[in-house]
Amino acid sequence: MGKVAYKRLKGSRHLRQRLVLATLAGAAVVVEEIRSDETSPGLRPYEVSFLRLLETISDDCLVEINETGTKLRYKPGVLIGGKNIVHDCGLSRSIGYFLEPLILLGLFGKKPLSIRLRGITNDAKDPSVDTFRMTTLHMFKRFGVPLEGLDLKIESRGAPPLGGGEIILKVPIILNSLSAANWIEEGMVKRIRGVAFSTRVSPQFTNRMIYAARGIFNRFIPDVHIFTDHRIGTAGGRSPGYGISLVAETTAGCLISADSTVSHPKADEMEEEMDEKPELMSPEDLGVRAASMLLEEVEQGGVVDSSHQGLLFILCALCPPDISKIRVGKLTPYGIETLRNIRDFLGVKFDIKPDPNSSTVTLKCVGSGIRNLSRKLS
């Protein structure tokens, strides 16, 4: 076996995404100067947890971290998938941080993936598990992934700071490669659906959030249905919290989502204000905020909302060497960084054309033609 050529990267920016693209492209990477100038340098606990997860779902993968955690050497292995896998995501980031990479990597595995993830299901930082269930999984249908084997089940919910949530994710494998998408038709919003959840607080909180959100939506559209999900006992996790996830479905079948959660801050965020507990947002204000966020996403246009831009670009880049064409709203900083990472790892460049009439952006690319070789190795 010859010497492995390592791709050299610096800094901790978008580390999760770089590792996913390196795994799919089969590129070994060395990441240096990870937060080397900060007071607490090195990898964060959730990044180490993600690396352990990569080791779990792949075979012959190499992860080396130096003593200070500021340098990481990663050589991807063969993605094997498997069932009855259990992973504790920790409490520094929610399960949403781990879901997107897991679905992408699971598709290119040797066997279908079935994994149980434990930790925080809803927080203010990452997309909630409800958004993944209602919106993200349906995006894959556009790229030829069968929806039958793709499933996310919420066993119990967990809010910060103590978590206690649990979900089961099932991902099928693709037999050869994804299929290119021509997805530029946005359509008009025809219905709004959602889930309001509460854990370890009064069950009235969900109704109050829904009432406030409907107060805004009913001015525009009558077909609004938001379900309640009140959890008690072990199904409610270990911390009080409440939140709402909303999805707008358009006539062209696009799903635009927004979610918002309120909970007590995590221990590391509390240090500055230890003398008094911060005031939490009321359920009415939260309902209004989530509804306003959804309306902003709809106003921006595009076939997906701003939080799904990065995933959409990666899916287009993984397609066979065929033209994919998509339309998004204003490009987010994360979306722009994703385009750069795709160029560096997969060698795919996008043709970007702003549309001045609708203030949206149309992107075209020729896919890199990544195939599921793990299945062939078996």
Side-chain angles (χ1 to χ4, degrees):
M1 209 173 127
K3 200 176 173 188
V4 180
Y6 281 90
K7 189 178 178 71
R8 295 199 165 272
L9 305 167
K10 277 188 182 178
S12 61
R13 279 170 66 82
H14 304 291
L15 183 70
R16 172 186 68 153
Q17 193 181 72
R18 285 168 158 182
L19 291 173
V20 170
L21 290 170
T23 309
L24 291 170
V29 292
V30 172
V31 188
E32 296 170 318
E33 295 177 26
I34 302 171
R35 303 189 183 90
S36 49
D37 300 336
E38 294 188 22
T39 42
S40 55
L43 292 165
R44 296 284 177 261
Y46 57 86
E47 290 166 337
V48 177
S49 177
F50 178 58
L51 286 163
R52 295 288 164 260
L53 184 56
L54 285 177
E55 284 182 323
T56 309
I57 61 166
S58 50
D59 191 21
D60 194 31
C61 136
L62 173 83
V63 175
E64 285 177 8
I65 305 168
N66 71 349
E67 286 176 21
T68 53
T70 53
K71 186 176 177 183
L72 161 72
R73 185 185 294 265
Y74 172 69
K75 183 170 101 35
V78 178
L79 291 165
I80 49 170
K83 54 186 180 193
N84 303 327
I85 303 171
V86 179
H87 181 74
D88 192 332
C89 299
L91 301 174
S92 47
R93 284 295 277 268
S94 77
I95 292 172
Y97 175 84
F98 299 85
L99 278 176
E100 186 185 299
L102 260 180
I103 300 170
L104 274 172
L105 297 173
L107 293 173
F108 291 88
K110 181 176 168 181
K111 293 179 186 150
L113 177 70
S114 172
I115 185 166
R116 184 182 288 268
L117 297 171
R118 296 191 174 124
I120 293 168
T121 54
N122 303 74
D123 76 348
K125 206 170 191 178
D126 298 296
S128 69
V129 289
D130 300 288
T131 300
F132 271 93
R133 197 170 52 85
M134 296 188 294
T135 310
T136 316
L137 297 186
H138 293 275
M139 266 175 68
F140 288 88
K141 187 173 63 179
R142 298 267 177 180
F143 293 88
V145 178
L147 267 183
E148 287 77 57
L150 199 56
D151 183 43
L152 193 155
K153 190 177 173 202
I154 303 168
E155 297 273 293
S156 60
R157 289 190 183 271
L162 298 175
E166 198 167 298
I167 64 138
I168 297 171
L169 175 72
K170 290 182 176 158
V171 186
I173 56 168
I174 52 171
L175 298 179
N176 194 357
S177 62
L178 297 169
S179 53
N182 184 6
W183 192 15
I184 51 172
E185 194 59 50
E186 301 163 299
M188 306 289 280
V189 174
K190 62 175 179 179
R191 65 165 77 104
I192 290 172
R193 295 287 178 267
V195 174
F197 84 92
S198 59
T199 62
R200 294 182 169 270
V201 291
S202 160
Q204 276 301 311
F205 275 36
T206 52
N207 297 331
R208 286 163 64 186
M209 284 186 284
I210 291 169
Y211 186 75
R214 285 189 67 111
I216 287 183
F217 290 141
N218 284 146
R219 295 180 217 161
F220 307 106
I221 189 168
D223 190 354
V224 180
H225 203 99
I226 304 169
F227 300 92
T228 59
D229 183 8
H230 177 66
R231 302 282 179 121
I232 52 170
T234 50
R238 295 200 284 269
S239 293
Y242 48 94
I244 186 166
S245 297
L246 300 167
V247 178
E249 190 182 332
T250 72
T251 49
C254 302
L255 298 169
I256 310 291
S257 65
D259 63 61
S260 199
T261 302
V262 164
S263 62
H264 291 286
K266 300 185 180 101
D268 51 347
E269 294 166 9
M270 278 280 284
E271 282 163 14
E272 298 92 42
E273 41 192 345
M274 280 300 275
D275 46 345
E276 56 181 71
K277 273 194 172 179
E279 190 70 27
L280 296 182
M281 187 185 279
S282 73
E284 285 82 5
D285 291 347
L286 186 70
V288 169
R289 184 168 87 173
S292 309
M293 281 163 64
L294 185 67
L295 293 178
E296 274 173 35
E297 292 288 359
V298 171
E299 185 195 14
Q300 279 190 8
V303 294
V304 295
D305 54 77
S306 54
S307 64
H308 285 90
Q309 279 185 17
L311 178 61
L312 181 64
F313 298 157
I314 291 174
L315 284 170
C316 287
L318 294 174
C319 285
D322 200 352
I323 292 179
S324 288
K325 193 174 177 187
I326 49 169
R327 185 196 296 275
V328 295
K330 186 183 168 191
L331 284 173
T332 58
Y334 180 71
I336 293 165
E337 200 67 36
T338 304
L339 293 173
R340 290 189 183 128
N341 287 335
I342 288 170
R343 179 198 62 199
D344 294 346
F345 283 96
L346 302 174
V348 172
K349 288 186 181 174
F350 282 76
D351 177 43
I352 303 170
K353 233 187 217 130
D355 180 2
N357 300 329
S358 63
S359 71
T360 56
V361 184
T362 309
L363 294 97
K364 279 192 283 192
C365 80
V366 175
S368 60
I370 286 191
R371 302 158 82 102
N372 188 354
L373 296 172
S374 309
R375 197 179 66 91
K376 297 199 168 35
L377 290 171
S378 59

